[in-house]
Amino acid sequence: MNSDNPQELDDELIFADEEKGYDRSPLLVKERNQEVWEVLIVDDEKQVHQVTKMVLNDFIFDGKKLEFHSAFSATEAKELIEAHPNAALILLDVVMESEHAGLELIKYLRKEMKNQSIRIILRTGQPGQAPEKSVIMDYDINDYKEKTELTTQKLFTTVVSALRSFRDIKVIEKSRNGLEEIIKSAPTLFELQSMKKFASGVLTQLISIVNANENAVHCSFAVTKEEEDIYILAASGDYAQTGEQRARDVVPRDVFEFIEQAFQTKISIYSSCHMTIYFRSKMGMENVIYINGFQTLSEWERYLVEIYCANVSVAFENIYLNLELENTQKEIIYTMGEITETRSKETGHHVKRVAEYSRLLALKYGLSEQEAEVIRLASPMHDVGKVGIPDAILNKPGPLTDEEFEVIKSHAGLGYEMLKHSNKQVLNAAATIAQQHHEKYDGSGYPHGLKGEIIHIYGRITAVADVFDALCSDRVYKKAWDLDRVLDFLLSQKARHFDPVLVDLFLTHLDEFLVIKEKYT
């Protein structure tokens, strides 16, 4: 750089002597992790980059150092910004490849990239080209400095102020994201997956409250018939997993020991860099949340965390109660189906197999997970009307007379009459299945002789599942058929008894149906 040129001299970044006794150590804290503040320097003068890096070389704010990235024109800066979307701060010159290159870059950042988080400090050696008053009013910047006025201390103070603002904006964003997760879960609050979403939202909120990193886990203590263990309800960062996982299989051993200790002692554990929060509902449901990577919490912050968890435990209790109610209803439906099968002396797991066959076939047909689950829950009640059939007819080992068969056929209507009065989705579906699972695709079935797609898809699906399982099983009036004979029958009844599309899907994916058959032998 030629310092004899007055124009270039005005554009230099000059750091004046500081007053003696200036000490910035109170603002410095011990580095808590490897995270950094990304700072973009955009200036066409190499010396500006060098001096800025030299002055801020030992800068640490909130436990994190600075990581610098340089661009020497607005064009280069656009690529740099796209490569570092999480940058906290940009130190920006105005005059570079054009007189207003820096100002155009500001518009690009705020309007095109929609980046409202990054803090913009405008530094200019030619204030006449971009007067402070008009720039502050017309452009979304956070500070304006003439390069000749910037001392080491002023630059340091400016950067601290900008980073503090950026940090607080990110905390607000995380808090908003957590609230959005909770709000999204509200419409389906009583479904298992929504409970996981709710837990995920809670975790996001707590991370933002304590300004921690994203490695966090929410665990619950579960007792099953086989074992009792600690399971992950929600997790983020390095601990994030898909599906239900045991905590001991996911988190590091030292982290699991803290979680286990909290469950055993039933108290929260706080340290300088992590916390293990224990909370328990009135019904005795236990939860532990582990979060690390933050500065020591004040008593007030701890109080806020405890209050937050106490309120959250009430919400979890309501969700657990509704899940318990839903699971009880499912058990009742299965029990009603099994009572029917027991009464007709059809032993084994007929209703379970029909339920699982129906769910799988529904998915293969293209129905949603939600609808497939409805069919799985409703199909066990397909023969519930048999409770109204006399034992002598229901369990007759020989052929039925025409009159007896008419009595047997009445079970479809009886089942429908039993179930039709409910306004619950599963029982509504069960009523339809009970009434239509003996209808045939060609219209020759009963009770109403419905034909083709006029028969509800739930009835068509259950018909295939029920007949397949009935033919593969021993009954009072027959022995089980071998598999080849059953498959030949399905093919022979394609477009006659059964929906041809469903028969093709069943045979195409036969291996998956046979897995279910073996599982519930």
Side-chain angles (χ1 to χ4, degrees), residues 44 252 267 397:
D44 60 351
I267 59 173

Side-chain angles (χ1 to χ4, degrees), residues 3-141:
S3 58
D4 293 334
N5 187 325
Q7 179 64 40
E8 290 186 354
L9 188 60
D10 287 342
D11 202 37
E12 289 182 10
L13 186 61
I14 302 170
F15 291 95
D17 293 335
E18 308 288 357
E19 296 179 8
K20 291 182 178 180
Y22 170 66
D23 181 14
R24 57 187 178 183
S25 60
L27 287 171
L28 306 184
V29 296
K30 290 184 178 180
E31 187 175 359
R32 68 166 183 261
N33 50 45
Q34 297 302 311
E35 294 181 22
V36 295
W37 302 106
E38 289 188 283
V39 177
L40 311 183
I41 305 174
V42 182
D43 200 297
D44 60 351
E45 294 290 339
K46 287 186 178 180
Q47 187 176 347
V48 171
H49 293 256
Q50 294 168 353
V51 173
T52 302
K53 292 175 183 178
M54 178 187 69
V55 170
L56 298 174
N57 180 58
D58 61 346
F59 180 97
I60 298 177
F61 171 71
D62 204 21
K64 297 190 284 188
K65 294 181 177 180
L66 301 183
E67 181 177 281
F68 297 101
H69 304 282
S70 293
F72 297 90
S73 68
T75 302
E76 287 182 19
K78 289 181 180 180
E79 297 178 2
L80 193 66
I81 292 164
E82 290 178 358
H84 301 278
N86 296 317
L89 171 64
I90 179 170
L91 299 168
L92 178 62
D93 190 15
V94 176
V95 181
M96 290 179 285
E97 65 264 50
S98 67
E99 290 184 354
H100 299 99
L103 301 181
E104 293 300 319
L105 183 62
I106 295 169
K107 289 182 180 179
Y108 174 79
L109 252 174
R110 299 301 197 205
K111 293 183 179 180
E112 292 189 36
M113 292 199 69
K114 309 295 183 185
N115 188 335
Q116 305 302 321
S117 303
I118 190 170
R119 303 295 85 192
I120 302 175
I121 298 175
L122 205 61
R123 302 190 298 180
T124 181
Q126 302 174 41
Q129 297 285 66
E132 181 175 354
K133 184 176 180 180
S134 61
V135 169
I136 286 289
M137 293 299 294
D138 297 339
Y139 295 88
D140 186 3
I141 65 172

Side-chain angles (χ1 to χ4, degrees), residues 324-373:
E324 187 70 19
L325 179 61
E326 184 178 310
N327 289 333
T328 301
Q329 290 172 339
K330 291 177 183 178
E331 286 188 20
I332 290 171
I333 290 171
Y334 266 117
T335 301
M336 288 178 67
E338 287 177 337
I339 287 171
T340 304
E341 299 305 319
T342 302
R343 187 168 172 271
S344 61
K345 297 183 180 179
E346 290 168 359
T347 57
H349 296 289
H350 174 65
V351 295
K352 284 188 172 65
R353 289 193 296 268
V354 170
E356 296 303 328
Y357 292 153
S358 298
R359 178 185 179 277
L360 180 57
L361 192 52
L363 291 174
K364 299 303 181 185
Y365 187 76
L367 299 186
S368 67
E369 284 279 357
Q370 190 270 338
E371 272 202 286
E373 182 65 10

Side-chain angles (χ1 to χ4, degrees), residues 326-464:
E326 184 178 310
N327 289 333
T328 301
Q329 290 172 339
K330 291 177 183 178
E331 286 188 20
I332 290 171
I333 290 171
Y334 266 117
T335 301
M336 288 178 67
E338 287 177 337
I339 287 171
T340 304
E341 299 305 319
T342 302
R343 187 168 172 271
S344 61
K345 297 183 180 179
E346 290 168 359
T347 57
H349 296 289
H350 174 65
V351 295
K352 284 188 172 65
R353 289 193 296 268
V354 170
E356 296 303 328
Y357 292 153
S358 298
R359 178 185 179 277
L360 180 57
L361 192 52
L363 291 174
K364 299 303 181 185
Y365 187 76
L367 299 186
S368 67
E369 284 279 357
Q370 190 270 338
E371 272 202 286
E373 182 65 10
V374 168
I375 296 176
R376 186 182 76 84
L377 295 174
S379 58
M381 312 233 342
H382 63 281
D383 276 338
V384 71
K386 286 183 179 179
V387 297
I389 307 300
D391 284 346
I393 297 176
L394 190 63
N395 294 315
K396 185 177 178 179
L400 298 174
T401 66
D402 290 344
E403 292 78 10
E404 288 171 336
F405 186 55
E406 288 301 317
V407 174
I408 284 286
K409 286 164 64 175
S410 69
H411 82 276
L414 288 171
Y416 175 73
E417 292 297 324
M418 291 170 61
L419 300 169
K420 71 177 184 179
H421 303 291
S422 174
N423 60 359
K424 302 298 182 185
Q425 184 183 22
V426 171
L427 291 180
N428 270 330
T432 299
I433 290 170
Q435 185 183 47
Q436 297 187 17
H437 73 288
H438 283 296
E439 298 287 0
K440 294 184 178 180
Y441 199 76
D442 64 2
S444 64
Y446 65 86
H448 298 301
L450 302 180
K451 187 175 181 180
E453 295 189 5
I454 295 175
I455 306 168
H456 197 286
I457 185 60
Y458 294 177
R460 283 180 275 148
I461 286 173
T462 306
V464 175

Side-chain angles (χ1 to χ4, degrees), residues 4 74 77 81 112 134 163 190 222 235 255 303 309 323 347 413 447 451 478 486 504 519:
D4 293 334
I81 292 164
E112 292 189 36
S134 61
L163 293 180
F190 303 129
V255 172
Y303 175 74
C309 288
L323 283 172
T347 57
K451 187 175 181 180
K478 71 166 190 69
V486 174
D504 288 341
K519 182 177 180 181

